Amino acid sequence: MAALAYNLGKREINHYFSVRSAKVLALVAVLLLAAGHLASRRYRGNDSCEYLLSSGRFLGEKVWQPHSCMMHKYKISEAKNCLVDKHIAFIGDSRIRQLFYSFVKIINPQFKEEGNKHENIPFEDKIASVKVDFLWHPEVNGSMKQCIKVWTEDSVAKPHVIVAGAATWSIKIHNGSNEALSQYKMNITSIAPLLEKLAKTSDVYWVLQDPVYEDLLSENRKMITNEKIDAYNEAAVSILNSSTRNSKSNVKMFSVSKLIAQETIMESLDGLHLPESSRETSAMILMNVYCNKILKPVDGSCCQPRPPLTLIQKLAACFFTLSIIGYLIFYIIHHNAHRKNKPCTDLESGEEKKNIINTPVSPLEILLQSFCKLGLIMAYFYMCDRANLFMKENKFYTHSTFFIPIIYILVLGVFYNENTKETKVLNREQTDEWKGWMQLVILIYHISGASTFLPVYMHIRVLVAAYLFQTGYGHFSYFWIKGDFGIHRVCQVLFRLNFLVVVLCIVMDQPYQFYYFVPLVTVWFMVIYVTLALWPQIIQKKANGNCLWHFGLLVKLAFLLLCICFLAYSQGAFEKIFSLWPLSKCFELKGNVYEWWFRWRLDRYVVFHGMLFAFIYLGLQKRQILSEGKGEPLFSNKISNFLLFISVVSFLTYSIWASSCKNKAECNELHPSVSVVQILAFILIRNIPGCARSVYSSFFAWFGKISLELFICQYHIWLAADTRGILVLIPGNPMLNIIVSTFIFVCVAHEISQITNDLAQIIIPKDNSSLLKRLACVAAFFCGLLILSSIQDKSRH
């Protein structure tokens, strides 16, 4: 009864909500969101620096998240590189002095807060040629005005950055009188034109006063109330913003520290000065405001302009535009022809007559339609991660943000289960299911920032290894059983693996190695192919006739293992091979192939393990040692129970070891040798019981069929800033944002999967002579791409 209700419910859902209708809904959502963000940017302004200086919230206790953009955490070397030959001046009271110390400690963490607090404090790093000064002027008065006026003179070297602010001393000295506020207004009015003049050549920031914690204030500071502080801030904002009549003021208001203080002032020691963590956040914001536009860090999207289009990107835009226009013309012509050939009604009989029989869709139409769709999808990719249209936020890990979604998807996966069509070990439905749940876990891992939690990181490493294990198992099984070493098979696999990544490298201006998993599976596929295709070609049909062929295959596999070990422990040899042109264009990242060596070495044995497992399993299957009938255990009861026990113990042992890991480098060193333990344990647990082998989760299997597209697309349209942050389509509502962005992301990945399959049928024909011509065209395309890439690199340097 329950099964009947489930099937009826599923049919009802599929009747009203298909994949096609989901994609239409996703398209409408993208258009509405793009229009909304575009209107918001025009109304509120397109300067993310303003958001960084004025708004944000805390993620957890100490992580500050600016509104709409990502903040980079600057290291010492980065700060020095940005501020080389620069002079920064802080002018104001004790609060500005605190900000000065926190700013200097980004450059030199050993700098100590010592000396007379009520005097000027210099700092200079002669090696980096960085100079930072604090000038003690606790009141906005003639003394501060004179200091600023000197900088406006043409003969005097001006600071590159000026950070000023003061008010609490005026409140304290004059006991919070209204006359003091009036005098403050007059003084800041006289200083405003000077600051405006300086702001034409330097970055000038006026720091608004932070709130105080009145309960902690000493008796001689009781007159400093939040009401008074608000009055002084309002005066400063009003006067400085109106210092220019016909244009916007160039003096920037540093008001974000007020928001930070509202959350943290309770931790203050005296009720007036902020705790150190809050000061560090404000100093890091200042560093982002000035340095992001200079160093352009990937995870620092605040204050960064949209990157200029490269020559290759412009050509890609032209190509996709022409494809869209071509398809529209083709569609209009075809639609008009279809209307002319519609069935007409016979006036005498009242019956319809068909003029022509519907012709099948032509390859040209499929080609134009596919590139038209792909062009629109790539426009969405560009809008999400390059055009600064949508917002981005930093990741922030908590256990709940990782484990609660995991529980949700597991419940859904268990609910949507069906009987398998076949009950063999690692049948197609089961491997799709395996890929599906692993991909969903990896997606949650990435968006939650769980890489900072080492036990989760180590388990995710096993999931990546399991993908590569399936690569070894699947391709070995195909070549061993089918014996098809033809060029058509190789081109089909390479096209399906690499098509999306090549397009993204062009559109998003990224190196091929950036999408590291695709180069990894591509190289391993070619290794498997070469290992089995080279003389002597040993396949199952040949080996069944003579057992010596099995030994020959084992020799091949042993030689492959030897080569893997040699390259793993000979970094120099590995780098020399992959640094050769044109391989270097594919495998270099940031000018070297170290990242590629690290990624390859991390899972160096698991593909070999997959191949060896396939060889052993297919041998046992051929000799009918395994019982793969429906509901039957894989072995006899005693052996099955024993292997199940060993598998569960092995699985848990690995998890305990991974959870007790304390050093990522040491664990990564052991991972290549031990990851196969948990993979094999899972395979046995999943396949030994007949009842488990006879069912699969259709929910996970659906995602498994588009797992590659999901893995690649997440880089730009689910995550942001090349995976460093999170895409924000709906600000202010994280839960709704995740739901909407995930829905669009999955629809796009599914559509790209279909486009890839359609294009593969057209671009990779079965006829060898036609295929060779296509390959010549592809080779010419990549040669042109290499030439254009070289021209771009030279122009950048």
Side-chain angles (χ1 to χ4, degrees):
M1 194 70 184
L4 180 62
Y6 161 74
N7 288 325
L8 287 173
K10 193 169 75 169
R11 286 178 188 174
E12 194 72 13
I13 292 169
N14 290 339
H15 178 72
Y16 290 105
F17 194 75
S18 63
V19 172
R20 184 181 178 83
S21 60
K23 290 176 183 175
V24 172
L25 186 60
L27 176 62
V28 172
V30 168
L31 293 175
L32 290 175
L33 288 166
H37 278 269
L38 192 62
S40 174
R41 296 251 176 203
R42 291 203 169 183
Y43 175 73
R44 299 178 63 182
N46 198 30
D47 187 3
S48 59
C49 274
E50 288 190 11
Y51 294 129
L52 178 61
L53 291 168
S54 62
S55 59
R57 69 186 193 278
F58 273 105
L59 301 175
E61 295 181 1
K62 295 183 179 179
V63 179
W64 182 254
Q65 173 59 59
H67 177 69
S68 85
C69 61
M70 295 167 60
M71 193 168 80
H72 178 66
K73 188 172 183 180
Y74 276 90
K75 299 174 183 175
I76 299 170
S77 58
E78 291 174 322
K80 288 181 178 180
N81 188 28
C82 167
L83 300 175
V84 64
D85 295 328
K86 297 294 187 293
H87 178 204
I88 297 94
F90 289 79
I91 177 169
D93 56 14
S94 57
R95 287 175 157 187
I96 298 296
R97 184 181 64 238
Q98 279 191 315
L99 187 57
F100 159 80
Y101 276 125
S102 296
F103 188 87
V104 168
K105 285 180 179 178
I106 299 175
I107 305 166
N108 181 8
Q110 282 74 43
F111 189 70
K112 295 180 180 179
E113 301 182 24
E114 56 188 14
N116 192 341
K117 294 182 177 180
H118 295 171
E119 64 180 21
N120 298 344
I121 305 171
F123 168 81
E124 186 173 5
D125 188 319
K126 292 184 179 179
I127 297 173
S129 190
V130 179
K131 186 180 179 183
V132 187
D133 290 325
F134 169 71
L135 306 176
W136 173 252
H137 291 281
E139 288 189 87
V140 180
N141 55 19
S143 174
M144 180 183 281
K145 180 180 177 181
Q146 185 60 34
C147 177
I148 294 171
K149 189 176 181 180
V150 170
W151 289 331
T152 61
E153 296 174 4
D154 294 335
S155 59
V156 177
K158 302 169 182 62
H160 297 88
V161 181
I162 299 166
V163 182
T168 54
W169 269 67
S170 297
I171 299 171
K172 177 184 173 183
I173 292 171
H174 301 286
N175 202 30
S177 66
N178 291 329
E179 291 78 8
L181 178 59
S182 299
Q183 187 63 46
Y184 180 83
K185 290 179 180 179
M186 290 174 60
N187 291 339
I188 205 167
T189 301
S190 66
I191 287 176
L194 301 175
L195 292 174
E196 193 64 38
K197 187 177 180 180
L198 279 172
K200 292 178 181 178
T201 54
S202 304
D203 288 359
V204 180
Y205 303 95
W206 186 266
V207 181
L208 297 183
Q209 294 301 299
D210 303 328
V212 295
Y213 192 47
E214 296 179 13
D215 294 344
L216 281 178
L217 290 173
S218 59
E219 286 301 320
N220 64 336
R221 290 174 176 168
K222 285 293 184 183
M223 70 292 295
I224 307 174
T225 63
N226 287 323
E227 185 180 352
K228 291 290 181 184
I229 284 174
D230 289 341
Y232 276 72
N233 282 337
E234 286 174 15
V237 171
S238 175
I239 293 166
L240 290 172
N241 282 339
S242 61
S243 59
T244 54
R245 293 181 181 179
N246 301 321
S247 61
K248 188 178 178 182
S249 173
N250 291 316
V251 179
K252 301 178 179 71
M253 292 295 146
F254 194 82
S255 58
V256 69
S257 60
K258 284 172 54 184
L259 297 177
I260 296 169
Q262 286 170 7
E263 299 289 333
T264 60
I265 193 64
M266 292 78 72
E267 301 170 22
S268 171
L269 297 176
D270 57 9
L272 179 68
H273 299 101
L274 292 177
E276 189 172 358
S277 61
S278 303
R279 294 156 41 192
E280 289 171 355
T281 302
S282 295
M284 195 59 72
I285 289 171
L286 271 176
M287 191 68 76
N288 273 259
V289 171
Y290 187 75
C291 291
N292 282 4
K293 57 182 175 285
I294 297 172
L295 298 185
K296 296 181 174 61
V298 175
D299 59 343
S301 63
C302 300
C303 301
Q304 275 203 52
R306 180 179 63 81
L309 287 171
T310 65
L311 175 61
I312 293 175
Q313 285 176 313
K314 289 175 183 176
L315 291 174
C318 291
F319 171 78
F320 284 123
T321 303
L322 290 173
S323 297
I324 292 168
I325 294 169
Y327 176 68
L328 289 175
I329 293 170
F330 191 94
Y331 177 80
I332 291 167
I333 295 170
H334 181 76
H335 184 68
N336 289 336
H338 181 71
R339 284 180 65 186
K340 288 178 182 177
N341 294 317
K342 267 190 174 180
C344 57
T345 304
D346 191 322
L347 296 177
E348 292 183 6
S349 63
E351 294 179 356
E352 287 187 341
K353 292 181 179 179
K354 291 185 179 178
N355 291 339
I356 59 166
I357 298 170
N358 288 333
T359 56
V361 181
S362 68
L364 178 61
E365 184 177 358
I366 295 172
L367 198 69
L368 287 172
Q369 186 185 56
S370 297
F371 281 121
C372 175
K373 289 179 182 178
L374 190 64
L376 295 174
I377 289 170
M378 287 302 113
Y380 178 63
F381 271 80
Y382 190 85
M383 284 193 300
C384 287
D385 212 16
R386 291 294 182 272
N388 290 338
L389 177 63
F390 298 121
M391 300 176 180
K392 303 177 178 105
E393 288 189 354
N394 295 88
K395 299 176 186 178
F396 179 69
Y397 176 73
T398 62
H399 292 322
S400 60
T401 57
F402 177 74
F403 289 105
I404 290 176
I406 294 290
I407 294 168
Y408 285 161
I409 65 162
L410 287 178
V411 170
L412 284 170
V414 171
F415 180 75
Y416 287 96
N417 66 81
E418 296 179 11
N419 292 325
T420 56
K421 293 176 183 176
E422 55 178 338
T423 56
K424 292 180 180 179
V425 172
L426 292 181
N427 58 68
R428 183 57 182 268
E429 290 155 332
Q430 190 184 125
T431 53
D432 282 340
E433 173 202 85
W434 193 6
K435 289 177 184 176
W437 70 257
M438 287 196 302
Q439 185 57 61
L440 291 175
V441 171
I442 290 171
L443 289 174
I444 294 168
Y445 163 82
H446 281 151
I447 203 165
S448 63
S451 59
T452 56
F453 186 47
L454 194 52
V456 171
Y457 166 82
M458 290 309 300
H459 282 87
I460 296 299
R461 290 287 357 135
V462 176
L463 299 190
V464 175
Y467 266 102
L468 294 171
F469 181 93
Q470 286 194 49
T471 297
Y473 171 83
H475 291 308
F476 178 92
S477 299
Y478 178 87
F479 290 127
W480 175 247
I481 295 169
K482 302 274 187 181
D484 177 12
F485 296 101
I487 193 171
H488 178 263
R489 166 69 181 177
V490 175
C491 291
Q492 279 275 345
V493 173
L494 292 179
F495 182 86
R496 290 175 190 275
L497 287 176
N498 290 276
F499 172 69
L500 174 58
V501 165
V502 170
V503 173
L504 285 178
C505 288
I506 293 169
V507 173
M508 305 305 287
D509 190 29
Q510 285 290 4
Y512 178 64
Q513 181 55 34
F514 175 75
Y515 308 94
Y516 74 92
F517 187 74
V518 170
L520 209 53
V521 292
T522 300
V523 166
W524 278 118
F525 167 73
M526 291 308 300
V527 167
I528 296 165
Y529 175 77
V530 170
T531 301
L532 298 177
L534 284 179
W535 183 89
Q537 285 185 4
I538 305 170
I539 59 174
Q540 190 179 55
K541 188 176 180 181
K542 182 187 287 187
N544 288 338
N546 190 338
C547 290
L548 286 175
W549 288 117
H550 287 97
F551 177 75
L553 183 62
L554 289 174
V555 171
K556 274 191 169 188
L557 292 178
F559 180 73
L560 172 61
L561 181 61
L562 192 66
C563 293
I564 292 169
C565 292
F566 170 74
L567 290 175
Y569 294 101
S570 303
Q571 184 179 351
F574 185 96
E575 290 184 351
K576 281 181 182 177
I577 293 169
F578 288 99
S579 294
L580 295 172
W581 193 90
L583 284 179
S584 59
K585 298 295 291 183
C586 294
F587 297 102
E588 279 187 356
L589 195 63
K590 297 178 181 177
N592 59 68
V593 296
Y594 174 79
E595 179 71 15
W596 166 235
W597 180 77
F598 171 77
R599 294 286 184 184
W600 176 86
R601 192 172 184 270
L602 201 54
D603 295 298
R604 57 187 179 271
Y605 299 129
V606 76
V607 173
F608 171 81
H609 291 146
M611 296 170 69
L612 191 60
F613 176 82
F615 176 69
I616 294 169
Y617 162 67
L618 293 171
L620 294 175
Q621 187 186 63
K622 190 70 179 175
R623 286 160 180 73
Q624 298 182 344
I625 295 172
L626 306 175
S627 302
E628 294 183 301
K630 190 171 183 179
E632 296 178 1
L634 204 58
F635 303 97
S636 64
N637 287 333
K638 285 185 178 180
I639 296 174
S640 294
N641 291 336
F642 174 74
L643 288 176
L644 269 176
F645 174 77
I646 295 296
S647 300
V648 170
V649 170
S650 301
F651 192 94
L652 294 176
T653 301
Y654 181 90
S655 291
I656 292 167
W657 170 77
S659 300
S660 61
C661 253
K662 294 181 180 178
N663 185 295
K664 187 179 281 190
E666 291 178 5
C667 293
N668 281 342
E669 196 63 35
L670 287 171
H671 166 78
S673 304
V674 299
S675 61
V676 70
V677 172
Q678 197 164 44
I679 294 169
L680 291 176
F682 171 78
I683 292 171
L684 292 175
I685 293 168
R686 182 70 179 81
N687 286 278
I688 287 176
C691 56
R693 204 172 60 253
S694 301
V695 295
Y696 78 105
S697 169
S698 56
F699 175 78
F700 289 142
W702 189 88
F703 285 98
K705 291 172 183 174
I706 58 169
S707 59
L708 183 66
E709 288 76 15
L710 287 171
F711 189 88
I712 299 166
C713 289
Q714 66 165 327
Y715 279 67
H716 303 293
I717 62 169
W718 199 51
L719 304 174
D722 298 333
T723 75
R724 305 295 180 87
I726 298 170
L727 178 67
V728 179
L729 300 177
I730 302 175
N733 195 327
M735 183 61 71
L736 183 60
N737 176 67
I738 286 293
I739 292 169
V740 173
S741 65
T742 302
F743 175 69
I744 296 170
F745 159 59
V746 172
C747 289
V748 168
H750 189 273
E751 185 62 32
I752 289 176
S753 176
Q754 290 189 334
I755 290 170
T756 305
N757 289 333
D758 290 342
L759 289 176
Q761 301 301 319
I762 297 169
I763 296 174
I764 314 294
K766 292 184 179 179
D767 178 55
N768 280 342
S769 60
S770 300
L771 180 56
L772 289 172
K773 291 176 184 177
R774 301 280 171 86
L775 287 177
C777 293
V778 170
F781 168 77
F782 279 109
C783 286
L785 203 60
L786 285 171
I787 293 168
L788 290 172
S789 178
S790 299
I791 294 170
Q792 276 185 187
D793 291 342
K794 287 180 181 178
S795 64
R796 281 172 180 168
H797 294 311

